[in-house]
Amino acid sequence: MKKYTYTESKDTRSGFGAGLLEAGRQNENVVALCADLIGSLKMNDFIKEFPERFFQIGIAEANMMGIAAGLTIGGKIPFTGTFANFSTGRVYDQIRQSIAYSDKNVKICASHAGLTLGEDGATHQILEDIGLMKMLPGMTVINPCDFNQTKAATLALVNHEGPVYLRFGRPVVPNFTPADQEFEIGKAIMLNEGTDVTIIATGHLVWEAIQAGEELEKLGINAEIINIHTIKPLDEEAVLKSITKTGCVVTAEEHNRLGGLGDSVAQLLATKKPTPQEYVAVNDSFGESGTPAQLMEKYGLNAASIVAAARKVITRK
């Protein structure tokens, strides 16, 4: 098992803030819009350096999406910022009609996704956003795993033409990917080559998958671990190549098991190569109030659950 270490834990939303600032420096057409959550989205540094390229829309998320779509007509590259719940469920009609259907070059940047929003509870912990967004034709869906990868993903969006949903989170998590990485949209990252089981993880579950791999190694199980940061388009070649070798797969995500990464992988396998699969995801329920650690434990979104799923799926080969 390849060893991964980190020197600090950082929140992925700060990775977005750092990436947005650098994107603004690289391209004068980058503009930012926010729905009254500047601090939560870490947009302060961008605003300080480029005040004329920032638009505070207030608590009017639907209006923000419409304005962002309009800005693209003049050649601007708008990055919208608010919580994932408000970035998707609250404004789905506006995104569908004004952005996706119209193929506008809007970057929908969504913080505080999943259970790890924590104490704000179920009303804010959206677990359906990946499903909502990946169903929209032409929408790219990205869910990076740490600060460095979120920063790199944000920068990659500048040169990507078309609507994108970029999902990130609130808590501090291990920052273990390279600071100088090149982020390639739609390209999976092999973290550890193995032969017994494939573990495909996204977002905050990537580090848990690495921890699970170390525990499985102690049990004599050699896990192949893949970081799927781009859920749509899915790197089908990487998935099929891996499961052809291992013969079984575990998918891990901080999302409802319906509509997320696991569903995308299952659809691929059903049509190309039927393979035993186990899910590590929220089992068709809403969240609740609690600390991120408590919630990840209760809902089974951790290394121990990945280990259990891997051991189970191996018996189904």
Side-chain angles (χ1 to χ4, degrees), residues 87-275:
S87 288
T88 57
R90 178 171 288 182
V91 294
Y92 198 65
D93 179 57
Q94 284 73 27
I95 292 173
R96 183 184 186 275
Q97 305 296 87
S98 298
I99 296 175
Y101 177 68
S102 303
D103 193 30
K104 293 295 191 291
N105 191 31
V106 176
K107 316 308 176 185
I108 303 167
C109 305
S111 184
H112 293 57
L115 288 175
T116 50
L117 172 60
E119 291 85 348
D120 287 3
T123 57
H124 286 53
Q125 294 163 349
I126 193 161
L127 298 165
E128 313 87 53
D129 55 316
I130 290 174
L132 286 168
M133 300 306 281
K134 78 176 188 180
M135 285 192 296
L136 292 170
M139 182 68 69
T140 295
V141 179
I142 298 174
N143 187 38
C145 67
D146 67 1
F147 174 96
N148 286 339
Q149 193 169 80
T150 307
K151 179 181 178 181
T154 304
L155 285 168
L157 300 191
V158 177
N159 295 319
H160 175 83
E161 186 66 30
V164 178
Y165 179 61
L166 177 64
R167 182 190 208 245
F168 42 93
R170 178 186 190 181
V172 295
V173 293
N175 186 33
F176 66 95
T177 66
D180 60 349
Q181 65 188 278
E182 182 178 345
F183 189 92
E184 187 174 351
I185 295 173
K187 186 68 174 177
I189 297 174
M190 178 67 70
L191 295 177
N192 188 71
E193 294 193 19
T195 56
D196 298 326
V197 59
T198 297
I199 301 173
I200 298 175
T202 188
H204 293 150
L205 270 292
V206 173
W207 181 255
E208 297 297 323
I210 291 171
Q211 300 300 106
E214 293 181 355
E215 291 302 311
L216 288 166
E217 184 180 43
K218 297 175 184 177
L219 300 172
I221 297 171
N222 186 9
E224 182 144 297
I225 303 172
I226 300 175
N227 172 5
I228 293 281
H229 51 66
T230 305
I231 296 172
K232 182 186 176 186
L234 183 69
D235 190 341
E236 296 186 357
E237 181 181 356
V239 174
L240 292 172
K241 181 179 179 181
S242 181
I243 59 96
T244 298
K245 177 170 53 174
T246 65
C248 61
V249 61
V250 173
T251 52
E253 60 192 309
E254 189 186 345
H255 189 269
N256 192 337
R257 64 176 290 164
L258 303 175
L261 169 66
D263 260 7
S264 292
V265 172
Q267 180 175 319
L268 171 65
L269 300 184
T271 55
K272 297 290 181 66
K273 191 174 181 63
T275 305

